Amino acid sequence: MNHTFESTLRFARKLDQADSLSSYRSKFFIPKLDGRPVIYFSGNSLGLQPKQTRTFVNQELDDWANLGVEGHEQAHRPWLYYHKFSKKILGQLAGAKPSEVVAMNQLTVNLHLMMVTFYRPTDRRYKILTEAGAFSSDQYAFESQIKFHGLNPEKTLVEVSPRDGEFTLRTSDIINAIEEHGNELALIVFGGVQYYTGQFFDVKRITDAGHKVRAIVGFDLAHAIGNVDLHLHNDNVDFAVWCSYKYLNAGPGGIAGAFIHESHFDRDDLQRFAGWWGHQEKERFEMRKGFKPIAGADGWQVSNVPIFQAAAHLASLEILQQAGIKALRKKSILLTGYLEYLLKEIDPFENSFSIITPVKAQERGCQLSIFLKKNGKRIFNSLSKNGVSLDWREPNVIRLAPVPLYNSFEEVFRFAEIFKQIV
Ligand SMILES: Cc1ncc(COP(=O)(O)O)c(C=O)c1O
């Protein structure tokens, strides 16, 4: 595809004109610097606010004001059933049945809840395998869960690292590691898209390899959901968790999500930390002893739904549903491909920087991570001052995420012009 790109404003505008999703940008507030819209490439940290979010949240404020407690049943979207309204679209985004997904809590809380159910170490099978350099919160969750079971994290957590001189993991190395620890592996948890490098792991092959050695396989999809195509059900993933403040644009601290494969629904050998919202709906208010879970992912809910967060979540999911993840992914591949093309034009011999994200579109989402060889922090600060919103990761990586819902080809071009001047 790259050979068809051109490094001109005219060409970038041509791509925007041909983009069937270009109108979606107007559905979002774009932050400004000195009165001008910034080039917002930080959607991998915090997605932008949809203009309709306020309407959705106001609806709940109004219903609360007008109905008080009756809002549980009589609100425009009754609060008692609020978690159900996001199921269809979450299912589409996760490649799952609606019954397999639920919006609840925060990502790390959900990871803990999933590990309570799916990490049940025995004397022989007790290890957790993950990618080296997993997001800190996941590392803390693994460490604390391991200690909770009275085990030693150093002997229990297996981290797969890239080879010397490489930034990303080879799937064959992941599979070899799974096979090597086979009989001792209780659980495998990988990022869907790695937060630092932007590598999109091979969900199916990792899951198959894990199942072959009889381990449970879960994913942290913080950087994957709403960014790449997922097929959690067909790939037989056991569980997954995600947050909604990145590509789902649900706002800071937005309500997170979880997936549990339906093959686990009828298992009564599974443990979970229960609460009333996971109890069978018809009996929830009978206040009787004896927890009976709702069949499906809903049965892992603990508390009642935070309605304002859930409303903001729904506002954005509606837009994602209209745009469709397939069309978004198609544009995303082109948009990120264009960014990559322009970056390579700037520094073809990688004297100043190199892109550490995989080259193949099927091995990455929208994010490109750039390793700056010198003056990293200065370049980052300069980009920020010039109206580019991006992020910095120690020791010298900047991450750029052109998001197909609201970023344009023209922005990618303008970014490359600014970057060229600075580098
Ligand atoms: C990969 C990954 N996992 C976990 C988290 C933390 O999640 P939370 O604070 O929502 O629990 C983040 C936050 O950015 C993340 O990127």
Side-chain angles (χ1 to χ4, degrees):
M1 198 75 206
N2 282 6
H3 59 281
T4 60
F5 288 137
E6 287 172 29
S7 157
T8 62
L9 180 59
R10 222 180 109 233
F11 183 79
R13 286 188 173 155
K14 232 166 79 181
L15 288 174
D16 280 326
Q17 276 157 17
D19 171 18
S20 62
L21 297 175
S22 61
S23 63
Y24 280 85
R25 179 175 169 83
S26 66
K27 294 183 187 287
F28 291 85
F29 289 110
I30 312 288
K32 292 192 171 126
L33 181 71
D34 300 330
R36 295 184 52 192
V38 301
I39 298 175
Y40 194 80
F41 285 168
S42 294
N44 55 345
S45 286
L46 184 71
L48 290 180
Q49 184 186 138
K51 289 178 181 163
Q52 67 181 28
T53 298
R54 202 174 290 266
T55 313
F56 275 62
V57 175
N58 277 343
Q59 173 79 56
E60 303 312 327
L61 285 168
D62 289 346
D63 285 349
W64 180 27
N66 296 326
L67 298 165
V69 71
E70 303 303 331
H72 284 302
E73 292 276 8
Q74 289 169 25
H76 176 67
R77 296 185 187 87
W79 303 329
L80 274 179
Y81 313 112
Y82 218 99
H83 58 280
K84 297 185 183 183
F85 306 139
S86 55
K87 277 181 171 296
K88 191 167 164 213
I89 169 68
L90 283 179
Q92 287 166 10
L93 294 172
K97 297 186 176 180
S99 59
E100 291 175 313
V101 292
V102 63
M104 59 181 187
N105 312 314
Q106 296 292 326
L107 186 158
T108 313
V109 173
N110 289 343
L111 180 57
H112 276 297
L113 291 177
M114 292 300 108
M115 288 178 78
V116 163
T117 297
F118 292 109
Y119 180 53
R120 310 281 298 162
T122 63
D123 286 351
R124 293 183 63 194
R125 196 179 273 283
Y126 59 96
K127 289 185 178 171
I128 300 176
L129 183 136
T130 187
E131 84 251 24
F135 193 84
S136 59
S137 201
D138 296 26
Q139 293 187 37
Y140 305 145
F142 301 146
E143 182 189 324
S144 56
Q145 286 271 346
I146 289 167
K147 286 184 176 165
F148 177 71
H149 288 285
L151 300 170
N152 177 348
E154 282 186 13
K155 293 187 183 144
T156 307
L157 191 63
V158 180
E159 297 178 308
V160 191
S161 300
R163 294 184 186 189
D164 277 351
E166 296 183 9
F167 283 97
T168 51
L169 279 166
R170 300 186 191 195
T171 307
S172 55
D173 286 352
I174 300 173
I175 290 171
N176 286 342
I178 292 173
E179 285 169 358
E180 186 191 327
H181 295 274
N183 289 338
E184 294 170 339
L185 275 189
L187 176 67
I188 296 165
V189 182
F190 261 75
V193 171
Q194 220 281 339
Y195 86 96
Y196 189 86
T197 64
Q199 177 175 17
F200 179 18
F201 291 116
D202 193 325
V203 173
K204 179 156 175 44
R205 285 182 66 199
I206 293 172
T207 307
D208 285 349
H211 287 168
K212 226 164 131 190
V213 301
R214 307 186 63 187
I216 288 277
V217 185
F219 285 86
D220 171 346
L221 301 176
H223 288 262
I225 194 132
N227 179 19
V228 291
D229 269 338
L230 294 164
H231 311 279
L232 301 184
H233 178 83
N234 286 343
D235 288 349
N236 284 317
V237 169
D238 293 293
F239 72 84
V241 292
W242 57 84
C243 58
S244 64
Y245 42 80
K246 301 177 188 298
Y247 302 107
L248 302 190
N249 313 307
I255 190 166
F259 160 89
I260 297 113
H261 197 279
E262 73 174 355
S263 57
H264 298 297
F265 289 176
D266 295 330
R267 289 179 55 186
D268 44 23
D269 59 319
L270 292 178
Q271 300 298 324
R272 70 182 98 194
F273 283 174
W276 71 325
W277 231 249
H279 187 83
Q280 286 185 1
E281 205 174 284
K282 283 199 195 112
E283 297 177 12
R284 189 181 287 146
F285 289 92
E286 290 176 12
M287 304 309 201
R288 272 194 260 126
K289 272 195 197 307
F291 174 71
K292 289 190 216 149
I294 301 171
D298 289 5
W300 270 264
Q301 292 176 104
V302 178
S303 294
N304 75 97
V305 181
I307 296 299
F308 304 123
Q309 290 297 351
H313 186 230
L314 215 53
S316 171
L317 290 183
E318 190 181 89
I319 298 173
L320 279 152
Q321 187 163 31
Q322 283 161 10
I325 188 68
K326 289 218 163 13
L328 284 166
R329 177 67 170 142
K330 200 169 153 207
K331 172 175 173 185
S332 176
I333 289 171
L334 203 61
L335 195 63
T336 297
Y338 190 45
L339 175 61
E340 179 185 42
Y341 165 84
L342 295 174
L343 288 170
K344 286 194 169 156
E345 288 252 300
I346 294 171
D347 187 13
F349 301 108
E350 301 190 358
N351 292 322
S352 308
F353 63 88
S354 50
I355 301 170
I356 62 172
T357 306
V359 173
K360 291 184 188 155
Q362 70 270 26
E363 291 176 12
R364 67 186 186 201
C366 69
Q367 173 186 324
L368 290 184
S369 303
I370 300 174
F371 181 87
L372 297 166
K373 295 186 177 169
K374 46 192 181 230
N375 303 322
K377 213 46 194 277
R378 190 184 62 76
I379 294 171
F380 169 75
N381 289 334
S382 208
L383 285 167
S384 305
K385 275 193 208 126
N386 279 280
V388 181
S389 173
L390 73 171
D391 86 358
W392 169 261
R393 291 281 161 177
E394 295 295 341
N396 40 19
V397 164
I398 52 172
R399 301 185 308 168
L400 308 166
V403 174
L405 253 187
Y406 46 72
N407 285 126
S408 67
F409 291 90
E410 180 169 339
E411 282 181 297
V412 166
F413 178 81
R414 281 176 37 230
F415 163 78
E417 291 293 292
I418 296 168
F419 190 59
K420 186 158 63 181
Q421 296 298 323
I422 293 170
V423 170

